[in-house]
Amino acid sequence: MLATAALALLPLVQGAAAPRTPASGNEIIAELPRQVDGLRTLRAAVAAAPRDPAPAVALAQRYVALGRGSADPRYYGQAQAVLAPWWGRPDAPNEVRLLRATLLQNGHHFTEAQAELRRIVASEPRAVQAWLTLATVQAVQGDSAGAVASCARLSSLTGQLETFACLAVAGANTGRMRGAERLLALGLEREGDAAPDTRTWALTMLAEFAARRGDVPLAQQRFAAALRAAPTDSYLLGAYADFLLDRGRAADVPALLRDHHRNDALLLRHALALRALGRQEALAPVRAELQARFDAAALRGDAVHLREQARFTLHVLGDARAALALAQRNWQVQKELADTRLLLEAGLAARDRTALQPVLRWIREQGLQDVVVARLAETAS
C-alpha cells in the first residue's frame, strides 16, 4: 500500500501515454496542486512532532478533504504518506484506522475497509464517523440490510440529519427510496443551520432521488440550490451533468464543466456532451486524452475508474463487448445505481441478455427504483 501511496504522489498523465522528452526546460509538463491555506502550518506541526499521531491525523484529514473537493487522487496519496509511520501498526489509534479505512474505501478496497471499520466500532461503539463510513461501504456493495443496521447505531449518537442521511444512503437502491427521500428532506428542513458540505450533499442526493422518480422540475430546483451553495463540488457537477445529458440538454454541459477537465469523470461527461452534440472535431482530442488517462491507470493497476472506463468504451468508443466486460468487473465491486444502469446499457448494446440475468435478479430482489433503469430492465427481460 505504501508503494501505491508513492505512485499517487506523481502527477497524473495528461497527454499521450507514451514517454516523451520535453522540448525545453521551460515546458510545463503538469501542474501540481496549488498551495492551500493552512497546509504549511499543518506540515510544520507534523515535522515538529514526528512521533505524535495527532498532527499527522490533522494533516491527513485536510488532504482527504482536498481530495474529495477536487477529485485529485494525489491528495489521497499524500494523506497515506503522512500516516506511513502508523499505517500497518496493530496499535495504531482509531483516528489513524478511520483514515486508513477512508483511503481504502476511496481505492475501492471495500473488504479491507470494512474490516478496519469493524475493528474501530468493536473497540469504540460510539464512533459516529466509523458507523457512517461502514454504512456507506455496505450500501455501495449492495448490502442494504447491513447498512441499515449500521445506521441504526447512530440514532442515539448524533443529530437527526446525520441519521436520516445514513438511512437515505442505505435505502437509495431499494424499494425504500421514496421513504428515504422524505426522511432526508425532513431532516434538512429541521436542521436549517446544517454545515455547508452536509447541506450540499443532502440537496444533491435529494435532487438525484427526484430525477430517479421522474420529477424533473423538483430535481432541477434541488440541483440549482446545491450549485448555488457549492458550484465547484465535483460529485455535484457530475450528477448535474448526468441529469442534463439524460434530458437532452447536452449543450449546457461544456460550460458547466469548463474549468474541471482535470477530473477524469467530469472530462468524460464533457466528451459525452460533445458526442451528443455531434462535435466530432472537438471530441477527437478529448477522446485521445481520456484514452491516455485510462491506459495510464491500467499500467498502474488502478481499477478505481472502471465505471468511467466502461462508460467511455460504450458511449464514446462504441465498443459494446469491451464495455460489457468492464461493466461486469465493475459491478462485482460496487453496485450503486450508476453501476447497475451501465451494466444494463452495455449488455443490451452487446445483445447479451445472458450476461444481464444476475443484475436483473438483483434489481428485483432490491426493489431498485429508477425510471431509466426500469425501462432498460423491461427491454432486457
Side-chain angles (χ1 to χ4, degrees):
M1 289 301 294
L2 292 179
T4 303
L7 287 172
L9 291 171
L10 298 176
L12 292 172
V13 175
Q14 297 296 317
R20 182 178 60 79
T21 302
S24 73
N26 294 324
E27 181 178 347
I28 297 176
I29 300 173
E31 295 182 8
L32 295 172
R34 65 181 177 83
Q35 183 63 268
V36 179
D37 291 343
L39 281 181
R40 189 181 302 277
T41 300
L42 290 169
R43 288 172 180 152
V46 171
R51 296 180 182 278
D52 183 358
V57 165
L59 178 56
Q61 287 173 335
R62 180 67 169 137
Y63 279 136
V64 168
L66 290 169
R68 283 176 173 160
S70 66
D72 188 335
R74 288 173 294 191
Y75 284 121
Y76 295 113
Q78 290 169 322
Q80 186 168 336
V82 168
L83 298 174
W86 302 274
W87 188 261
R89 288 175 52 172
D91 61 339
N94 279 345
E95 292 79 8
V96 171
R97 288 186 179 278
L98 180 59
L99 281 164
R100 182 171 186 266
T102 299
L103 293 168
L104 288 168
Q105 173 198 7
N106 178 71
H108 291 190
H109 300 288
F110 296 122
T111 301
E112 295 90 336
Q114 277 212 47
E116 195 72 270
L117 291 163
R118 291 187 186 283
R119 281 191 285 268
I120 295 172
V121 297
S123 65
E124 191 179 341
R126 299 183 65 82
V128 170
Q129 190 58 51
W131 284 116
L132 281 168
T133 307
L134 178 57
T136 300
V137 172
Q138 290 167 318
V140 166
Q141 292 192 287
D143 180 11
S144 58
V148 169
S150 295
C151 294
R153 303 296 296 264
L154 294 171
S155 59
S156 63
L157 303 177
T158 188
Q160 193 175 70
L161 179 58
E162 286 78 9
T163 302
F164 288 175
C166 186
L167 289 169
V169 170
N173 293 322
T174 72
R176 300 185 302 274
M177 187 195 79
R178 189 67 183 96
E181 180 183 358
R182 286 194 293 266
L183 273 178
L184 185 57
L186 178 62
L188 189 61
E189 180 183 343
R190 288 180 176 177
E191 197 160 329
D193 59 346
D197 56 344
T198 302
R199 182 173 182 79
T200 298
W201 178 88
L203 282 169
T204 303
M205 193 164 193
L206 287 169
E208 291 180 301
F209 282 156
R212 288 173 61 172
R213 292 188 291 101
D215 190 339
V216 174
L218 181 58
Q220 176 64 51
Q221 176 186 329
R222 289 169 169 175
F223 273 126
L227 285 164
R228 285 194 296 271
T232 62
D233 183 272
S234 58
Y235 180 85
L236 169 58
L237 288 170
Y240 187 50
D242 286 340
F243 173 79
L244 294 174
L245 289 167
D246 279 345
R247 269 95 205 150
R249 296 172 58 188
D252 295 334
V253 173
L256 175 74
L257 304 180
R258 181 180 295 118
D259 299 324
H260 304 279
H261 292 180
R262 187 179 193 84
N263 181 316
D264 294 353
L266 298 184
L267 183 61
L268 172 60
R269 268 78 167 189
H270 177 65
L272 293 171
L274 294 177
R275 180 179 178 276
L277 294 168
R279 296 172 57 185
Q280 294 301 322
E281 186 175 342
L283 175 60
V286 178
R287 181 173 55 232
E289 171 73 9
L290 281 166
Q291 186 66 69
R293 295 190 192 186
F294 290 132
D295 289 346
L299 288 173
R300 295 194 303 267
D302 179 358
V304 170
H305 298 302
L306 274 177
R307 178 198 293 171
E308 286 75 21
Q309 187 176 0
R311 193 175 178 187
F312 169 76
T313 303
L314 178 63
H315 295 301
V316 179
L317 299 184
D319 188 340
R321 274 284 160 198
L324 175 59
L326 289 165
Q328 286 175 311
R329 283 179 57 199
N330 175 63
W331 201 72
Q332 292 302 314
V333 178
Q334 55 181 10
K335 295 178 172 62
E336 294 185 278
L337 175 68
D339 309 297
T340 303
R341 172 177 167 173
L342 181 58
L343 181 51
L344 287 170
E345 291 174 335
L348 287 170
R351 301 178 185 275
D352 189 344
R353 281 177 163 76
T354 301
L356 295 181
Q357 295 313 303
V359 68
L360 290 172
R361 184 166 52 251
W362 185 82
I363 289 170
R364 289 192 298 268
E365 292 171 350
Q366 295 291 314
L368 187 146
Q369 298 176 318
D370 178 77
V371 292
V372 176
V373 166
R375 288 197 297 266
L376 292 168
E378 183 177 359
T379 303
S381 298

